[in-house]
Amino acid sequence: MTLIKSLAVHMSYFIGAVEHIEARNPNLKPLDVVKGLREISGLDDMFTQHYLGRISDRRSGAALLLDSEVSQFLGDVIQHRVTDRGEEEGVVLAHDGTTVALAPLLLGLEAGLLGKSGARSSGLHALTLTQMLGRAFLGLRGPALTRGLGTKGCWNNLVSPKVFTLSRTPSFMTDALINGGMDGTILGNELSGTTEHPLKLSSLLTGYYRYHAGPEGLNTAAPLISVLRRDNFKALVSPSVLQEQVLDSLRVYWTLRGDVPLTLPLSYMYIHHTYEPGEPCVSFEQCAAAMRSMQRYHQESNGWDDIGYSFVAGSDGYIYEGRGWYWQGAHTGGYNSKGYGVAIIGDFTVRLPSQHTLNLVKDELPACAVSGGRLVPTYIVHGHRQMVATECPGNALYEEIGTWPHFCVSANDSICAIYATLHF
């Protein structure tokens, strides 16, 4: 069997790839096959490891034998993302006409197989649906409230589907993710609740997705088939259980991320420059790219969970949210719990940001914070270098903030507290 990257993105072809793996690896159990699929697609973040363990800890220690074309196909078809063009990847067209994300389906299967094998996994709901639901609802604020969940889309071709384009702005959780999450929950629960396990993973998937209804339609169909996923999911998970599972998933997610809530209002604002990127960004496209670049550096090089700054000011007229108002950042070592870290994009060792950008940071951002109860009215401004051995925020910018009314030259809390009472 030969599969290439351009092959149709249909559930039948994915099941065919699983059959290929099973034929090349006849001694592997379904659990090892699922773990192998997770390894190919890179589904190994901290949240997944919390419930399923690291991929390298596979008990069999056996690596999957498969053709490079199959490996490429599986890596492309499992890893979920939405492109800048609005195309949703990591999804397949199922026999019942729905679009299914494979990642939550596979995580649910592994959680179910682990629960049955004695290596207990309590993450069935979290890995398939509830973590994504919780994070989606956390993001539903402002204009995002109108988007909600469940963005639909269209395939370029139903016979040989290859591209799935969303019909509107992506929501935090698309229809395909919801379908994959429900399927992963249903099948994972079925696997964990039985003492018998399927001889082949492909057989389980075939029965669920490639069933053939007889003359009487669904009257004589098996109870566990994809077209009945919503009925089966509702029977399995009540609204109260779902709500409880969402909260449990978020608790684990926050713990693993190291997210620490701030105790508001705060008393300080620490000013930074980014140094790299060194040039101020003057358009939304430039500033968005700079934010992504900093986020990648902070995550990949520093090992942080997200960009370290609370807020970042561009020279395009916008202030961008990093950790935001409510979560402790990683910007001013030893003082992250006391104040907001605000960076201006650019190297300001010998030059200053535009006056408009300075006004955003000096006046508009803190005024918003004070009016919203996030900063005390007598807040103090410090440069990064006052708290940590660094040149940040650059000589020119540091001299500038020294003229701001809330600036305190001393890094001593008690001295600045007295200063605040005298000046404000």
Side-chain angles (χ1 to χ4, degrees), residues 32 218 376:
D32 297 314
L218 295 181
V376 298

Side-chain angles (χ1 to χ4, degrees), residues 89-112:
E89 299 178 346
V91 301
V92 297
L93 177 62
H95 178 72
D96 61 10
T98 58
T99 302
V100 178
L102 291 175
L105 165 66
L106 292 173
L107 293 177
L109 290 170
E110 186 172 343

Side-chain angles (χ1 to χ4, degrees), residues 91-378:
V91 301
V92 297
L93 177 62
H95 178 72
D96 61 10
T98 58
T99 302
V100 178
L102 291 175
L105 165 66
L106 292 173
L107 293 177
L109 290 170
E110 186 172 343
L113 288 165
L114 275 175
K116 181 183 58 183
S117 67
R120 179 176 173 79
S121 172
S122 58
L124 177 60
H125 294 86
L127 292 166
T128 56
L129 205 60
T130 57
Q131 184 219 171
M132 292 187 292
L133 278 174
R135 292 173 65 181
F137 285 121
L138 283 179
L140 293 180
R141 55 182 183 270
L145 279 170
T146 63
R147 297 210 306 268
L149 305 174
T151 311
K152 300 180 183 297
C154 294
W155 286 97
N156 65 319
N157 188 295
L158 295 182
V159 176
S160 182
K162 294 179 182 178
V163 179
F164 184 72
T165 304
L166 295 173
S167 56
R168 56 189 174 94
T169 303
S171 72
F172 292 95
M173 195 168 178
T174 65
D175 272 15
L177 284 170
I178 294 172
N179 288 335
M182 287 193 292
D183 290 348
T185 302
I186 292 165
L187 293 177
N189 181 75
E190 177 71 10
L191 289 173
S192 65
T194 178
T195 57
E196 298 181 2
H197 54 263
L199 295 177
K200 292 184 178 181
L201 179 64
S202 60
S203 299
L204 176 71
L205 295 174
T206 297
Y208 188 77
Y209 288 109
R210 294 202 305 204
Y211 58 89
H212 294 283
E216 297 185 32
L218 295 181
N219 289 340
T220 57
L224 289 184
I225 54 176
S226 61
V227 74
L228 298 177
R229 66 168 61 86
R230 292 185 179 274
D231 292 335
N232 285 320
F233 185 79
K234 285 191 292 185
L236 187 63
V237 184
S238 66
S240 60
V241 169
L242 186 62
Q243 180 179 0
E244 181 181 340
Q245 290 288 343
V246 167
L247 292 175
D248 286 344
S249 297
L250 285 176
R251 291 187 190 102
V252 173
Y253 175 71
W254 283 328
T255 300
L256 293 174
R257 277 179 52 94
D259 284 342
V260 178
L262 291 166
T263 301
L264 303 183
L266 302 183
S267 300
Y268 295 89
M269 199 168 77
Y270 303 114
I271 305 301
H272 301 247
H273 70 163
T274 63
Y275 189 73
E276 288 291 343
E279 292 297 319
C281 58
V282 295
S283 68
F284 170 74
E285 290 78 10
Q286 290 178 348
C287 292
M291 290 294 292
R292 288 193 295 269
S293 175
M294 285 187 286
Q295 185 183 46
R296 281 195 299 271
Y297 179 79
H298 287 177
Q299 290 177 320
E300 296 173 8
S301 297
N302 294 357
W304 300 341
D305 297 304
D306 202 348
I307 193 169
Y309 304 118
S310 305
F311 295 93
V312 180
S315 295
D316 61 341
Y318 290 110
I319 287 182
Y320 294 83
E321 182 175 333
R323 299 292 179 100
W325 297 119
Y326 303 106
W327 301 103
Q328 182 173 303
H331 46 76
T332 312
Y335 301 90
N336 293 317
S337 64
K338 296 184 177 183
Y340 294 113
V342 183
I344 302 177
I345 294 176
D347 175 3
F348 301 110
T349 302
V350 297
R351 61 179 173 176
L352 284 174
S354 68
Q355 190 59 51
H356 183 274
T357 302
L358 289 172
N359 291 341
L360 282 177
V361 177
K362 181 182 73 171
D363 301 321
E364 296 191 36
L365 180 67
C368 176
V370 170
S371 65
R374 295 146 186 164
L375 267 179
V376 298
T378 56

